[in-house]
């Protein structure tokens, strides 16, 4: 039975019988999916110290407790309404926002919500084996925090589908549990969500770069004229911040440890001999997840994106910081690749909206890399991490089908085949990472050799707190 106690919410669930019935039908399937496709080996006998959102105020979403994962209280929350909110961009600029879905935009909105919703369970599926290779209880708990919140984000999208899209919405909600990351016949919609994440370097890069695409896409959806979508995504952004913290500090701690091991190895030595992760391997995983996440922003020139903007469905990140919100007669200068050469052209701004969002995203990623490089600098190392050129390793958009090195220099297919593992992880790299992660660390306060401890624990608790415990 669905109750506010079981599903914390601020959408008046108890007063909405139709929604209750729809969720009662969906919830058991969700729990079954979580058991089958969620964290493996941590379903029945472990309690995890996690944060559960129980309301939208700062205290309410920072409520910590030990829970068994399948009993986590996945809630439904919308950020507080903004009084007299008006459409902030596109052809309907200045009109009141919508509380219901306009018939003419139903398909487009459903498609956006389904695409967003599909990524959430996908990431849980991708990460389901990581608990068995964790570097510490602190990290294990962070992994599960991320997982349960991605589960909650799925609930958020399913709430919108059930509430505003009738029968088709219900069907889409079922399909969100049927597609599977990496499944040949029923894959997840977006490519990055079909890639395996079976080591912790990939996990931290994913939460740094792919969750940051979550941030940019959620920021643009939070501008939407469909007010419930805007309010839902605004609240999701508060949780997304923690996921990026996990990724950024995870890599920072690996770098810290790598620097220590390099000192021990006498700088010229191989840190792999000491069980650490060398900087070239870290760079390769950065290259992989940054390029996969660039693809998540869609094609550079997109009539879909133009139409989303014109109709007020999806704006730019921080739309209110732009001078002009109609973008009908403005142009964007974009580099094209024609006959093997770069050519700059002007295209209509609305058609370039994916690229505008990608610009914001690249800037946000670059700032994170600067922070990582400070660690290398502080340890007196000359090596630096860097973002590869946008053209590198692209599977979507105008650069897909061509090859470029990380500096953006075009390569032939033969050159690419010869050199790709200088820039992207090889099977040997994957085997090495799995070898140093083979033994999980479940002892409180202990950390795997390849990663430094964090500066502080969760919720002001000590680092050696038992963040995950087996049931007595
Ligand atoms: N892979 O005009 P185009 C997150 C398809 S992450 C495969 O370029 P559009 C999270 C596209 O569907 C954020 N296919 O694209 C992070 C279209 O197909 P059709 C998720 C792709 O529509 C970590 C065709 O290519 N949120 O939250 O402008 C953990 C040409 O389309 C890809 C959203 O994505 C791809 N990468 O833009 C957990 C927001 N890219 O029509 C969660 C909602 C494009 O030819 N989605 N295609 O069949 C959107 O806003 C847009 O759908 C996209 C694509 C930006 C993704």
């Amino acid at each position: 039975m669905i109750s506010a106690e079981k599903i914390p919410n601020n959408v008046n669930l108890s007063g909405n019988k139709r929604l209750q019935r729809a969720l009662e039908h969906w919830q058991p399937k969700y729990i079954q999916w979580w058991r089958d496709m969620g964290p493996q080996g941590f379903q029945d006998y472990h309690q995890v110290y996690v944060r559960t959102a129980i309301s939208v105020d700062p205290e309410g979403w920072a409520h910590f407790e030990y829970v068994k994962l399948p009993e986590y209280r996945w809630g439904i929350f919308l950020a507080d309404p903004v009084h007299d909110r008006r459409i902030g961009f596109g052809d309907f600029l200045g009109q009141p926002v919508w509380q219901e879905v306009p018939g003419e935009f139903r398909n487009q909105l459903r498609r956006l919500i389904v695409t967003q919703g599909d990524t959430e369970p996908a990431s849980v599926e991708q990460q389901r084996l990581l608990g068995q290779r964790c570097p510490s209880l602190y990290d294990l708990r962070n992994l599960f925090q991320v997982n349960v919140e991605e589960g909650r984000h799925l609930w958020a999208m399913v709430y919108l589908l059930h509430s505003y899209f009738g029968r088709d919405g219900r069907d889409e909600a079922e399909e969100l549990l049927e597609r599977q990351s990496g499944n040949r016949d029923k894959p997840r919609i977006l490519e990055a969500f079909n890639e395996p994440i079976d080591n912790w370097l990939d996990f931290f890069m994913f939460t740094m770069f792919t969750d940051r695409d979550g941030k940019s896409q959620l920021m643009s959806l939070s501008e939407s004229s469909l007010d419930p979508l805007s309010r839902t995504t605004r609240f999701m952004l508060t949780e997304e911040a923690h996921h990026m913290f996990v990724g950024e500090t995870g890599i920072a701690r690996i770098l810290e440890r790598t620097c220590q091991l390099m000192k021990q190895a006498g700088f010229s030595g191989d840190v792999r001999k000491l069980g650490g992760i060398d900087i070239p391997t870290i760079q390769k995983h950065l290259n992989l997840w940054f390029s996969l996440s660039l693809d998540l922003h869609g094609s550079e020139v997109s009539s879909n994106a133009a139409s989303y903007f014109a109709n007020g469905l999806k704006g730019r990140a921080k739309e209110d910081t732009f001078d002009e919100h109609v973008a009908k007669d403005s142009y964007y200068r974009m580099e094209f690749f024609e006959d093997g050469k770069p050519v700059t052209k002007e295209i209509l701004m609305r058609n370039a909206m994916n690229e505008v969002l990608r610009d914001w995203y690249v800037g946000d990623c670059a700032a994170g890399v600067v922070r990582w490089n400070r660690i290398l600098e502080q340890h007196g190392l000359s090596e630096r991490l860097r973002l590869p050129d946008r053209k590198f390793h692209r599977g979507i958009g105008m650069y897909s089908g061509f090859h470029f090195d990380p500096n953006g220099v075009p390569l032939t297919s033969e050159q690419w085949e010869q050199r790709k593992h200088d820039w992207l992880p090889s099977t040997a790299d994957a085997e090495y990472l799995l070898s140093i992660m083979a033994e999980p660390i479940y002892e409180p306060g202990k950390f795997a050799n390849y990663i430094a401890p964090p500066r502080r624990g969760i919720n002001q608790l000590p680092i050696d707190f038992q963040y995950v415990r087996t049931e007595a």
Side-chain angles (χ1 to χ4, degrees), residues 111-112 115-116 119-120 123 150 189-191 193 206 210-211 213-214 217-218 221 240 295-299 301-305 308 314 354 396:
R111 184 189 149 111
L112 282 172
T115 309
Q116 176 65 47
T119 64
E120 317 289 0
S123 67
E150 300 301 6
I189 297 170
L190 300 175
E191 208 27 62
F193 294 90
F206 177 91
T210 309
D211 273 274
D213 168 56
Q217 298 294 340
L218 290 173
L221 291 174
E240 207 67 55
D295 278 345
L296 289 174
H297 291 76
S299 308
V301 181
S302 165
S303 57
N304 286 343
Y308 295 151
K314 187 182 173 198
N354 285 343
I396 295 284

Side-chain angles (χ1 to χ4, degrees), residues 25-136:
H25 188 70
W26 186 79
Q27 190 207 31
K29 295 183 184 174
Y30 170 82
I31 297 293
Q32 194 55 49
W33 165 82
W34 177 272
R35 286 187 168 280
D36 295 343
M37 299 305 293
Q40 279 194 12
F42 295 90
Q43 297 283 345
D44 290 314
Y45 306 108
H46 295 81
Q47 292 187 331
V48 186
Y49 184 75
V50 283
R51 180 180 68 180
T52 307
I54 52 168
S55 69
V56 288
D57 50 90
E59 274 168 31
W61 68 270
H63 170 89
F64 286 84
E65 60 191 344
Y66 273 111
V67 291
K68 281 213 260 178
L69 292 178
E71 290 166 13
Y72 182 79
R73 292 181 297 150
W74 283 282
I76 303 172
F77 293 104
L78 272 56
D80 287 336
V82 173
H83 176 67
D84 192 29
R85 185 170 167 252
R86 302 271 156 169
I87 295 175
F89 62 93
D91 293 343
F92 308 107
L93 181 72
Q95 294 182 16
V97 290
W98 315 317
Q99 299 305 331
E100 291 294 332
V101 175
E104 63 272 40
F105 305 136
R106 198 182 156 89
N107 284 347
Q108 283 189 319
L109 279 164
R110 194 184 59 209
R111 184 189 149 111
L112 282 172
I113 292 169
V114 165
T115 309
Q116 176 65 47
D118 191 71
T119 64
E120 317 289 0
S123 67
V124 176
E125 293 167 357
Q126 286 171 293
Q127 296 162 16
R128 70 184 191 276
L129 294 177
L130 289 176
Q132 297 168 14
R133 297 170 189 154
C134 67
S136 73

